[in-house]
Amino acid sequence: MSLETVTETIKGRVGDDAGLGATLKFDMGDVGVVFIDGKSTPNSVSNDNNDADCTIGLSLEDLEAMMAGDLAPTTAFMAGKLKVDGDMGVAMKLQSIM
């Protein structure tokens, strides 16, 4: 999957209101970012590298695996496959869109 495909998939899952009530960014290093603005109405998803309430660092491959249901976010965190910077409460709400 490409960054564009992942972004479009996340847009579909977020919809008008993902219930995050915050901003969240998936940071995949050189590959790029997916930014979810859960404060805006309707919610928006972009590849803009904005400041976020919570930033999750991981590889594109691990994000794809989480979205496919092959990798649980909690398992990825415990295995060191993803790093959380910022509001951990926002990261916990991530389960609803994965």
Side-chain angles (χ1 to χ4, degrees), residues 48-82:
D48 297 335
N49 193 4
N50 298 324
D51 289 337
D53 297 317
C54 179
T55 299
I56 299 176
L58 75 169
S59 70
L60 178 60
E61 293 76 21
D62 288 336
L63 180 56
E64 290 169 348
M66 284 193 324
M67 292 174 58
D70 297 331
L71 177 64
T74 306
T75 302
F77 179 76
M78 296 299 208
K81 292 186 174 196
L82 66 80

Side-chain angles (χ1 to χ4, degrees), residues 34-45:
V34 177
F35 181 80
I36 302 171
D37 185 348
K39 293 180 179 177
S40 67
T41 304
N43 291 177
S44 64
V45 178

Side-chain angles (χ1 to χ4, degrees), residues 1-11 31 34 47 60:
M1 233 187 278
S2 67
L3 177 63
E4 293 77 23
T5 304
V6 168
T7 303
E8 288 303 314
T9 301
I10 291 173
K11 274 183 190 177
V31 174
V34 177
N47 296 115
L60 178 60

Side-chain angles (χ1 to χ4, degrees), residues 20-40:
L20 288 177
T23 55
L24 184 138
K25 176 170 56 176
F26 292 105
D27 186 347
M28 293 159 285
D30 292 340
V31 174
V33 301
V34 177
F35 181 80
I36 302 171
D37 185 348
K39 293 180 179 177
S40 67

